């Protein structure tokens, strides 16, 4: 028996808008299908091609692709020798992985405060955290929402204190930074840091399903990163220490031989992921242009409601590749909780999310280190909300989100 179609004009007129999502087009699907019809499902030619294209995109000498951004952060910590006995400064306003990945390599984490209006770690926050730590070995800075700020000063403070610098650039593929003399550089180029880490999770600028990468300019560090991704083993004959088993009589390497330098995990990305990544990377400029236009549309429509409802503070030194459209809402001033507001938005088919609950308050870290006084992180978190933002949205969607938001807030 066939049933009549259920008429739901309310839902049909208002498709659900998640806070973020991938944009997959027919040629992306074709690219993946080609890999599935071919020889390699794991490491094949698409891996190297993606690495070359990514390095070129961000102006880095080397890009090492891997399973996801978390693996990339771990690999970065390992490649820089940030293991047991070391201390790493991490801004509290970030995703768990910025702290947990290097911590799992043995480092202890010292959380830094952030600017309450942008969520970014400021130079003075880094200096304060180094002072509190007594001694630190590295900083993992975070380009929250796709913005960056104070990179030159952060670099100077880090270098003066002997810290290595890893930029967690998972939000910031395509972001540009302007130094104090006006010189532009791309995030990933590593002008003011040692390594940059990216994620290609579906809500990011480009999607690989799961995927991540580290960019590096030092070829030796790049080699360690590549080895770390692949069980900590090497097939490079010049690195072999066990010559008796590695080589034939005429010092030719045995064709089957590989050597374990230090134990590692399998954090390889495969050809299926990289074919999708390559196809998506070719669209990065278009996706970013769309995201920037959407951000302008949001900014204009929200302008009358500041300061109770406003976008996160902008950094003059940055041309962001917006990853999220994050606003700051003074919920108590509107007499409602964030949870009630998010539920009301969801009832209207609009998704939202909080980026992030400060990591220094997360159960594990609070139990391990106690809860430091980081008022900027607390204040940013109290007002944070990410509204729908992805490259296939249009200006009507933005208008709908702003209208619904202001209606619920009684504006
Ligand atoms: C700032 C930040 N760092 C690290 C990660 C981890 O990336 P992945 O999800 O690819 O492991 C994410 C992803 O959500 C992130 O937003």
């Amino acid at each position: 028996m066939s049933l009549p179609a259920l008429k739901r004009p309310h839902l049909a007129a208002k498709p659900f808008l998640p806070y973020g999502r991938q944009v997959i087009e027919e040629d992306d699907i074709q690219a993946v299908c080609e890999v599935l019809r071919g020889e390699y499902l794991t490491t094949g030619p698409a891996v190297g091609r993606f690495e070359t294209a990514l390095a070129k995109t961000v102006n880095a000498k080397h890009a090492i692709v891997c399973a996801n951004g978390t693996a990339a952060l771990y690999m970065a910590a390992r490649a820089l020798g940030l293991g047991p006995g070391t201390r790493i400064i991490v801004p509290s306003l970030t995703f768990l992985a910025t702290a947990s990945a290097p911590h799992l390599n043995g480092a202890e984490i010292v959380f830094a405060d952030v600017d309450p209006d942008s969520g970014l770690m400021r130079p003075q926050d880094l200096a304060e955290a180094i002072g509190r730590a007594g001694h630190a070995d590295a900083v993992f800075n975070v380009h929250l929402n796709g913005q960056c700020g104070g990179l030159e000063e952060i670099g100077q403070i880090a270098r003066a204190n002997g810290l290595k610098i890893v930029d967690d650039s998972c939000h910031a593929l395509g972001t540009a930074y302007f130094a104090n003399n006006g010189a532009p550089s791309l995030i990933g180029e590593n002008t003011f840091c040692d390594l940059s880490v990216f994620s290609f999770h579906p809500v990011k600028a480009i999607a690989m399903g799961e995927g991540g990468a580290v960019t590096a300019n030092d070829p030796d560090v790049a080699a360690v990163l590549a080895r770390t991704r692949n069980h900590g083993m090497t097939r490079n004959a010049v690195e072999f220490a066990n010559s008796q088993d590695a080589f034939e009589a005429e010092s030719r390497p045995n064709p089957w031989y590989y050597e374990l330098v230090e134990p590692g995990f399998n954090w390889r990305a495969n050809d299926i992921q990289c074919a999708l990544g390559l196809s998506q990377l070719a669209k990065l400029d278009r996706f970013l242009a769309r995201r920037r236009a959407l951000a302008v549309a949001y900014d204009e429509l929200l302008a009358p409601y500041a300061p109770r409802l406003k976008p996160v503070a902008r950094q003059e030194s940055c041309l962001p590749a917006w990853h999220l459209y994050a606003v700051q809402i003074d919920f108590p001033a509107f007499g409602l909780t964030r949870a009630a507001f998010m539920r009301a938005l969801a009832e209207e088919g609009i998704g939202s999310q909080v980026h992030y609950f400060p990591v220094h308050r997360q159960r594990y870290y609070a139990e391990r280190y106690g809860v430091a006084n980081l008022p900027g992180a607390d204040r940013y978190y109290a007002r944070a909300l990410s509204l729908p933002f992805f490259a296939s949205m249009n200006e009507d969607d933005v208008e709908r989100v702003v209208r619904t938001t202001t209606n619920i807030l009684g504006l």
Side-chain angles (χ1 to χ4, degrees), residues 68-71 73 94-95 97-98 142 168 170-171 199-201 204 210-211 323 356:
N68 51 60
T70 306
L73 285 160
T94 186
F95 182 57
T98 320
V142 178
D168 180 338
C170 288
H171 291 190
S199 164
F200 310 114
H201 175 279
K204 303 293 194 297
E210 299 278 3
H323 157 54
Y356 292 96

Side-chain angles (χ1 to χ4, degrees), residues 61-298:
K61 291 213 171 74
H62 306 274
I64 294 86
V65 64
C66 61
N68 51 60
T70 306
L73 285 160
Y74 179 96
M75 284 161 44
R78 198 144 184 96
L80 296 179
L82 299 167
T86 65
R87 228 173 265 167
I88 301 180
I89 312 283
V90 173
S92 181
L93 236 296
T94 186
F95 182 57
L96 303 172
T98 320
S100 297
H103 181 55
L104 282 167
N105 191 46
E108 296 299 337
I109 307 301
V110 177
F111 291 101
D113 206 6
V114 299
D115 171 25
D117 295 316
S118 70
L120 299 173
M121 184 180 71
R122 300 160 294 192
Q124 66 265 33
D125 298 320
L126 175 62
E128 187 277 329
I130 295 171
R132 196 164 12 97
H135 164 81
D137 301 278
V139 53
F140 279 38
N141 193 15
V142 178
H143 306 318
L144 191 71
N145 300 319
Q147 263 203 123
C148 60
L151 298 190
E152 208 169 349
E153 291 79 7
I154 285 171
Q156 281 158 3
I157 293 170
R159 298 297 181 219
N161 287 277
L163 274 66
K164 302 249 171 62
I165 308 169
V166 175
D167 278 9
D168 180 338
S169 310
C170 288
H171 291 190
L173 178 63
T175 293
Y177 176 72
F178 298 91
N180 295 336
N181 66 3
S185 58
L186 283 167
I187 292 301
E189 194 172 337
N190 299 327
T191 310
F192 298 105
C193 63
D194 296 289
L195 299 173
S196 297
V197 167
F198 294 95
S199 164
F200 310 114
H201 175 279
V203 296
K204 303 293 194 297
I206 62 163
M208 269 173 56
E210 299 278 3
V214 186
T215 61
N217 292 331
D218 180 332
D220 295 335
V221 175
V224 178
L225 287 164
R227 186 178 76 207
T228 306
R229 159 183 71 182
N230 193 20
H231 301 279
M233 69 189 219
T234 181
R235 288 184 188 277
N236 183 355
V238 297
E239 290 174 4
F240 292 160
N242 176 4
S243 45
Q244 195 184 337
D245 290 309
F247 298 103
E248 291 182 81
E250 321 87 78
S251 356
R252 286 208 304 173
N254 286 314
W256 45 265
Y257 187 79
Y258 51 83
E259 203 167 277
L260 181 66
V261 181
E262 53 176 356
F265 296 98
N266 170 1
W267 272 326
R268 298 185 302 259
N270 61 42
D271 255 36
I272 306 171
Q273 293 165 290
C274 290
L276 180 56
L278 265 170
S279 176
Q280 290 261 298
L281 200 55
K283 304 167 185 202
L284 179 65
D285 285 347
R286 171 160 58 93
F287 286 173
L288 291 185
R290 193 71 215 118
R291 283 171 176 269
R292 286 186 175 126
L294 292 169
V296 168
Y298 264 125

